[in-house]
Amino acid sequence: MMRLSVSKFSGRGGREINEDYLGFCGNEAIGCFVLADGAGGHEGGAIASKTVVQQVLKAFSLTPTVSREMVQASIATARTALNQARRQHPDQKNMNTTLAILLLDVDHKEAYWAHLGDSRIYLLRKGRAYALTRDHSILQSMIDAGLTQGTPRGSTERNTLYASVGSTDIPDRTVCEAPLALQMGDAFLLCSDGFWESVDEGIMEMTLRLSNSSEQWLQNMLAYIAEPSAETQDNFSALGVWLGDQEEATRIQRLS
């Protein structure tokens, strides 16, 4: 029988304030998973990310529906919540945040997602990691257009975003076009850029094969965060979601 299992972690790194925020709600059959990475300084980013995540989860808990319309509504909810927070904190009018939302329905075997910014959502299926999202960053756009080579990892320019919750316009590739059909043994990872900067797809795959639970998988990945307390280490956060019996999910990944 398929069921959902989730683990989460959020670390401050070398920063004074943790501007990441994450959470989830639901049960073993249906769930809403949300992660945000705030910006704005002077606690503005922390206010933005917490406000947005809490409001998206509250809206889902009131109407627990997994659909493309629901994930679109979640983006609208996040934008409204951020605008309200800006009005309530006029000294933080520049506060902003990224956003990653994943909705899962085990009974109907469907997943929907949306994102803004460079917080990512990965699917791990049959031993391979696939990025469901594409960073809304200037550097990623340049890479996609063939104007530069490489990946955003390790680049000092990777954090220049052209879209976030507070953006005036919502770009394409924000909401998934069609549902993803779930399979037994699927795993999902939502993470902020401070996490995926150190934990690449190969590490995600390898640590999943070596893990016997979602919590162990997350802890194994965290071991690859280089110098987690170093001044250069950004906040780093992740949500790990397993689909199916944990032992069966791990076995399927190992045999793939």
Side-chain angles (χ1 to χ4, degrees):
M1 177 184 296
M2 287 189 181
R3 65 185 180 90
L4 296 177
S5 173
V6 61
S7 57
K8 66 176 183 176
F9 181 88
S10 185
R12 181 166 55 88
R15 307 298 170 84
E16 293 183 4
I17 298 173
N18 188 351
E19 295 185 309
D20 290 355
Y21 198 85
L22 70 172
F24 60 94
C25 64
N27 52 45
E28 292 185 349
I30 188 173
C32 175
F33 309 88
V34 191
L35 181 146
D37 178 359
H42 304 291
E43 299 187 1
I47 295 172
S49 60
K50 182 177 181 179
T51 299
V52 163
V53 170
Q54 289 184 339
Q55 288 303 309
V56 170
L57 292 175
K58 180 180 179 180
F60 182 84
S61 65
L62 294 174
T63 310
T65 305
V66 175
S67 66
R68 190 170 190 272
E69 291 73 22
M70 186 62 183
V71 81
Q72 287 176 315
S74 296
I75 292 290
T77 295
R79 289 165 62 80
T80 298
L82 179 62
N83 288 332
Q84 290 176 343
R86 285 172 169 175
R87 289 193 292 270
Q88 293 170 358
H89 302 273
D91 58 326
Q92 304 290 351
K93 62 180 181 180
N94 294 321
M95 70 169 75
N96 209 339
T97 184
T98 69
L99 183 64
I101 303 170
L102 175 68
L103 305 182
L104 297 178
D105 186 335
V106 171
D107 291 339
H108 293 90
K109 298 182 180 179
E110 289 185 337
Y112 295 83
W113 66 91
H115 85 296
L116 284 165
D118 60 357
S119 293
R120 296 182 177 181
I121 305 175
Y122 286 92
L123 163 68
L124 286 98
R125 172 172 288 174
K126 298 186 183 302
R128 295 293 303 276
Y130 304 92
L132 297 180
T133 57
R134 199 73 170 171
D135 297 347
H136 293 135
S137 68
I138 300 299
L139 179 58
Q140 186 63 64
S141 295
M142 294 176 65
I143 293 172
D144 293 344
L147 299 176
T148 187
Q149 296 181 342
T151 70
R153 286 190 177 91
S155 172
T156 57
E157 300 176 354
R158 66 181 174 82
N159 294 126
T160 303
L161 306 180
Y162 64 84
S164 59
V165 175
S167 298
T168 302
D169 299 315
I170 297 297
D172 294 334
R173 298 185 301 177
T174 293
V175 178
C176 63
E177 292 297 326
L180 172 72
L182 298 176
Q183 297 181 13
M184 177 69 81
D186 283 348
F188 294 88
L189 179 69
L190 288 75
C191 53
S192 63
D193 66 314
F195 188 92
W196 60 253
E197 171 71 10
S198 297
V199 181
D200 63 22
E201 291 82 353
I203 293 173
M204 297 173 195
E205 296 168 355
M206 182 267 292
T207 51
L208 183 64
R209 290 193 298 270
L210 298 176
S211 301
N212 293 312
S213 68
S214 57
E215 180 63 31
Q216 185 179 12
W217 180 38
L218 186 54
Q219 290 301 318
N220 286 342
M221 287 189 288
L222 287 170
Y224 287 86
I225 302 291
E227 300 183 38
S229 299
E231 290 184 3
T232 56
Q233 175 59 54
D234 194 2
N235 306 149
F236 55 101
S237 303
L239 270 167
V241 185
W242 290 46
L243 178 63
D245 179 84
Q246 290 184 4
E247 293 184 2
E248 179 68 10
T250 307
R251 185 182 71 81
I252 289 174
Q253 296 290 349
R254 287 174 172 167
L255 291 178
S256 301

